Amino acid sequence: RRVCDLCAEVIYLSVGSAYTGNVACARAWQAAHDRQHRFTVIDSETASGSLGLLVYAAAHKIRAHKALADVREFIEAARHRVVELVFLDRLDFLARGGRLSRTRAFFGDLIGVKPVISPLADGARKVGVAHHRRGQVDMARQTLRSRLTARSEGWLWLEYTDNRDWLEDELLPEFRQSYPSMTVALQPMSLTSGAHMGPGTWAIAFLDV
């Protein structure tokens, strides 16, 4: 209500409805209080770094003085194109949070299995595995090559937890050289994601526009 009092039109870009009840709460408030239809609720269908990147891209459009109708249209299309891969280092933090059995976490860590997670419309899903950091990097490279070219434009984020120096020294220069038309940047990982997944976790998130 306070934001609507300050602004003529408001876009609420919410974390995906598969992750929280924020979308339902916002739409209930909208139905009860937004008689002038100034409050737009958009389910991002994603979370974590891909949601952050989607919000950043929408803000970029607004700063470019795009009409809010155009921004809404951009978000509706971009939410299906934004991609994030999260590379875990250890599984025991997922077990501590109740998202994985301790037995599976123990044996996964024992044999060096490192799941690759992606936040999708129906929730976070495992989209692959790697057995060492080099395997994680190879998967990141292959994914980017399959989706981007040297002429692709948009944003590419490298997300860090306690490993910023490694990403900044090894991958940031490489990806900037490989995708010169993309804005390639370092970003801290979502605090919620980092708490669930633990030290050593890193991610890539990208949006080709």
Side-chain angles (χ1 to χ4, degrees), residues 145-165:
R145 287 182 194 134
S146 69
R147 302 289 294 267
L148 303 176
T149 70
R151 291 185 292 178
S152 295
E153 297 181 357
W155 298 271
L156 168 57
W157 284 359
L158 294 172
E159 302 170 60
Y160 60 87
T161 51
D162 61 339
N163 44 21
R164 173 173 179 153
D165 290 347

Side-chain angles (χ1 to χ4, degrees), residues 52-99:
L53 182 50
L54 195 58
V55 171
Y56 184 90
H60 179 81
K61 293 291 184 182
I62 292 171
R63 287 195 298 268
H65 305 291
K66 297 293 185 182
L68 285 190
D70 295 333
V71 175
R72 288 196 300 268
E73 184 177 345
F74 168 79
I75 293 171
E76 293 287 355
R79 66 178 178 162
H80 301 297
R81 298 202 314 272
V82 66
V83 177
E84 182 180 31
L85 297 182
V86 183
F87 301 95
L88 279 73
D89 187 57
R90 293 163 54 190
L91 299 178
D92 59 326
F93 283 86
L94 286 178
R96 292 180 198 181
R99 288 166 172 78

Side-chain angles (χ1 to χ4, degrees), residues 78-195:
R79 66 178 178 162
H80 301 297
R81 298 202 314 272
V82 66
V83 177
E84 182 180 31
L85 297 182
V86 183
F87 301 95
L88 279 73
D89 187 57
R90 293 163 54 190
L91 299 178
D92 59 326
F93 283 86
L94 286 178
R96 292 180 198 181
R99 288 166 172 78
L100 185 71
S101 74
R102 291 187 178 273
T103 301
R104 289 183 62 189
F106 172 78
F107 284 106
D109 285 338
L110 188 66
I111 62 177
V113 173
K114 302 178 187 297
V116 183
I117 306 296
S118 186
L120 302 174
D122 57 351
R125 288 167 53 184
K126 185 174 78 172
V127 294
V129 295
H131 292 280
H132 41 68
R133 177 175 281 182
R134 185 50 52 193
Q136 293 177 332
V137 172
D138 287 343
M139 184 173 181
R141 287 173 176 148
Q142 290 169 9
T143 301
L144 293 174
R145 287 182 194 134
S146 69
R147 302 289 294 267
L148 303 176
T149 70
R151 291 185 292 178
S152 295
E153 297 181 357
W155 298 271
L156 168 57
W157 284 359
L158 294 172
E159 302 170 60
Y160 60 87
T161 51
D162 61 339
N163 44 21
R164 173 173 179 153
D165 290 347
W166 168 68
L167 287 170
E168 189 169 20
D169 293 342
E170 293 201 23
L171 293 187
L172 185 64
E174 174 189 335
F175 288 169
R176 280 178 171 167
Q177 182 177 8
S178 298
Y179 306 103
S181 298
M182 301 283 285
T183 300
V184 184
L186 289 169
Q187 294 286 351
M189 180 163 284
S190 154
L191 294 178
T192 303
S193 299

